[in-house]
Amino acid sequence: MKSLYPFLMLCLFYTGLAAQDAPQQSYQLTKTRNEVQYKNYYLLTLFQQLPGLHKMLSTDTVLNNIYKTKTTQVNEAVKTCKTDISCYAKALKFNNEEIARIGNRLALLYTENNPLGDLVKNHLIPSGCYSMFAKEQHKALLVKAWEQDASAVNYAIGVYVEGNKPNYPKIDSISFSLRDKEYAELTSASALLSLQGNTKLFFEPAMLFALEALELNERNDAADYEPMAKGVNLAAINKIKKTDWKKYPYSVILVPGAGPEEKEVALSAGGMIRCRLAALQYQQGIAPFIVVSGGRVHPYKTKFSEAYEMKKFLMEVLQIPESAIIMEPHARHTTTNLRNCARLMFRYGMPIDKAGMVCTVKSQSYYITDILPERCKKELGYYPYKNGKRLSDTESEFYLNTASLQIDFDEPLDP
């Protein structure tokens, strides 16, 4: 036990949580066939997927009445909204009164030893998906997780149905014109579809409408290359299980993407240079893995994935083995290059007390160490990593923060 003490203290230093409230690397996420769903709305996914909890919620009179009211509102919208897009959105989104009413009902139903209590202890806390609320009392954590998922559903509908501005309009905006009659027809049909199938739980029509909106906009980016652990990252995961971490100064070499601005260009010159810098470090035995990070970002709705193209370049041009490359194909900004890398390091069972290395061009390297932490704090609400030593103009150390597991409610393409 004595040898574990420094490790546990370091874990708590990086999480800022008591041991019982910290995320657990042994926890396995409950997934759905729709990868976009569980990544954005994990609490709602658990409401559906855990049998005892599903039964409890589906038989509650108050929540059933909320579902029935929502169904009536949606049916009325399909009959009367015609070309008024905001009319459909209003019928499906959760209003403040509904969010509060549902939160109060969940709090009233909660006890420490019933399915809602088990949900918090066995899923919400160990998953880390709501880690920003982990210091709350368990009942309050449940309510805040609900409020977050409701806000996430509303946000997706707001941007991808109503055409509200996303955080990064240049790359993430709606694909349709709100004045197009065909779009109104699609929206009406989508509203009707949200009531079909086995939708019986109070949140399902709104969640399905949000997911359909992302699909219609070709914005299922959060599901790109999933399930990665059984596909693009399988060779690396098999190697992780056999890795002797003591042989390496660092756990990973992170390569942030550099998206091209021309539609026909698969990998930018910046991406190639970053890969070459990382390959040099790998060949010197600095770390057993290279993490290539970047999604389908630049230009707007590009079909090229930065991570995939960098992996391809590393393998085909630089002769790096596939088992040494971990793809992170979802990050859309430098903030989430670091955050998503931290997530994969944690989820894939790497030692969380071991430093990683960021390898990139000089300007971005200093940006990551000197400016990015405060940008992360402002945009994400926490620091996803802690700076270590600067190693050169192009390399620096970082330590992961398990707060990175927190779902980002207003980034549905990379939550």
Side-chain angles (χ1 to χ4, degrees):
M1 287 298 293
K2 188 176 179 182
S3 63
L4 284 175
Y5 184 76
F7 171 74
L8 289 173
M9 289 302 97
L10 190 61
C11 292
L12 300 185
F13 174 79
Y14 288 122
T15 62
L17 303 174
Q20 69 271 18
D21 294 328
Q24 304 297 316
Q25 281 190 291
S26 59
Y27 180 82
Q28 298 293 310
L29 290 169
T30 297
K31 299 184 178 181
T32 53
R33 288 181 64 185
N34 186 334
E35 303 271 353
V36 176
Q37 178 185 320
Y38 81 84
K39 286 189 172 185
N40 278 281
Y41 320 121
Y42 194 55
L43 175 69
L44 304 187
T45 295
L46 293 169
F47 282 170
Q48 284 183 325
Q49 299 294 316
L50 301 177
L53 185 55
H54 185 285
K55 181 178 180 182
M56 178 185 186
L57 299 177
S58 64
T59 56
D60 181 73
T61 304
V62 173
L63 296 177
N64 266 331
N65 286 338
I66 291 171
Y67 170 77
K68 289 173 184 175
T69 300
K70 182 64 71 178
T71 301
T72 301
Q73 289 172 346
V74 175
N75 281 322
E76 185 64 21
V78 171
K79 290 177 186 174
T80 62
C81 289
K82 302 188 186 310
T83 60
D84 184 354
I85 301 299
S86 63
C87 176
Y88 296 105
K90 184 179 180 182
L92 269 302
K93 286 164 80 172
F94 300 106
N95 61 43
N96 291 337
E97 184 182 344
E98 288 171 332
I99 292 172
R101 189 179 176 203
I102 292 165
N104 290 338
R105 186 59 182 171
L106 292 173
L108 190 63
L109 291 172
Y110 173 91
T111 67
E112 189 176 335
N113 297 312
N114 74 359
L116 285 171
D118 293 340
L119 167 76
V120 177
K121 286 180 296 196
N122 300 331
H123 294 277
L124 299 191
I125 291 173
S127 73
C129 292
Y130 302 91
S131 59
M132 289 182 74
F133 313 132
K135 292 182 181 179
E136 301 278 353
Q137 294 293 321
H138 288 189
K139 184 188 294 187
L141 190 158
L142 170 65
V143 173
K144 286 184 180 293
W146 151 247
E147 291 170 347
Q148 175 179 301
D149 278 22
S151 296
V153 167
N154 284 353
Y155 183 89
I157 293 172
V159 173
Y160 294 107
V161 176
E162 295 180 278
N164 295 345
K165 268 191 177 183
N167 294 321
Y168 297 89
K170 185 178 177 182
I171 56 172
D172 294 339
S173 293
I174 190 171
S175 303
F176 299 96
S177 167
L178 271 61
R179 295 184 293 275
D180 189 333
K181 287 184 179 179
E182 184 182 354
Y183 177 59
E185 188 174 50
L186 289 172
T187 304
S188 177
S190 183
L192 189 61
L193 283 168
S194 72
L195 300 178
Q196 305 309 308
N198 296 318
T199 54
K200 300 295 182 190
L201 293 175
F202 64 93
F203 61 87
E204 287 179 321
M207 184 184 74
L208 289 175
F209 190 61
L211 291 170
E212 286 163 9
L214 289 165
E215 180 181 75
L216 290 175
N217 281 271
E218 298 180 308
R219 286 305 197 179
N220 282 338
D221 298 54
D224 280 359
Y225 298 98
E226 294 286 8
M228 296 192 296
K230 296 179 180 178
V232 294
N233 288 338
L234 178 60
I237 287 172
N238 288 337
K239 183 181 173 184
I240 287 170
K241 295 172 184 174
K242 305 170 188 174
T243 297
D244 182 355
W245 297 101
K246 295 189 293 293
K247 291 182 177 179
Y248 303 93
Y250 300 101
S251 56
V252 300
I253 302 162
L254 169 62
V255 187
E261 290 300 337
E262 299 80 25
K263 279 208 166 184
E264 66 278 5
V265 176
L267 181 63
S268 70
M272 294 178 194
I273 287 295
R274 294 172 200 203
C275 285
R276 287 190 177 277
L277 289 168
L280 188 63
Q281 295 296 328
Y282 171 79
Q283 288 158 352
Q284 292 174 358
I286 291 297
F289 300 99
I290 298 173
V291 178
V292 285
S293 177
R296 293 184 287 118
V297 186
H298 299 284
Y300 177 73
K301 293 189 79 169
T302 179
K303 300 299 182 185
F304 293 112
S305 164
E306 294 173 25
Y308 176 81
E309 298 302 332
M310 287 193 289
K311 177 179 178 179
K312 186 177 173 184
F313 185 80
L314 284 167
M315 290 176 62
E316 294 181 0
V317 179
L318 304 180
Q319 304 301 303
I320 304 297
E322 183 175 18
S323 60
I325 306 169
I326 296 172
M327 266 179 61
E328 187 295 291
H330 303 119
R332 304 184 69 75
H333 319 288
T334 312
T335 52
T336 51
N337 286 142
L338 274 294
R339 182 200 70 181
N340 293 359
C341 180
R343 288 178 175 181
L344 291 185
M345 291 166 71
F346 185 87
R347 298 288 187 208
Y348 288 174
M350 296 185 183
I352 64 173
D353 58 334
K354 194 176 186 70
M357 172 194 284
V358 184
C359 188
T360 184
V361 293
K362 180 179 177 179
S363 59
Q364 189 182 42
S365 184
Y366 280 92
Y367 176 77
I368 286 169
T369 55
D370 300 349
I371 298 172
L372 188 61
E374 291 308 318
R375 179 183 166 191
C376 289
K377 179 68 173 175
K378 181 180 178 182
E379 295 186 14
L380 302 175
Y382 56 85
Y383 301 107
Y385 63 99
K386 182 181 184 332
N387 281 322
K389 293 180 290 188
R390 170 152 295 283
L391 304 169
S392 72
D393 279 344
T394 54
E395 284 84 34
S396 64
E397 294 179 343
F398 74 97
Y399 292 87
L400 71 85
N401 184 350
T402 57
S404 295
L405 302 172
Q406 167 71 38
I407 294 171
D408 193 350
F409 84 93
D410 63 352
E411 286 289 341
L413 311 190
D414 179 27

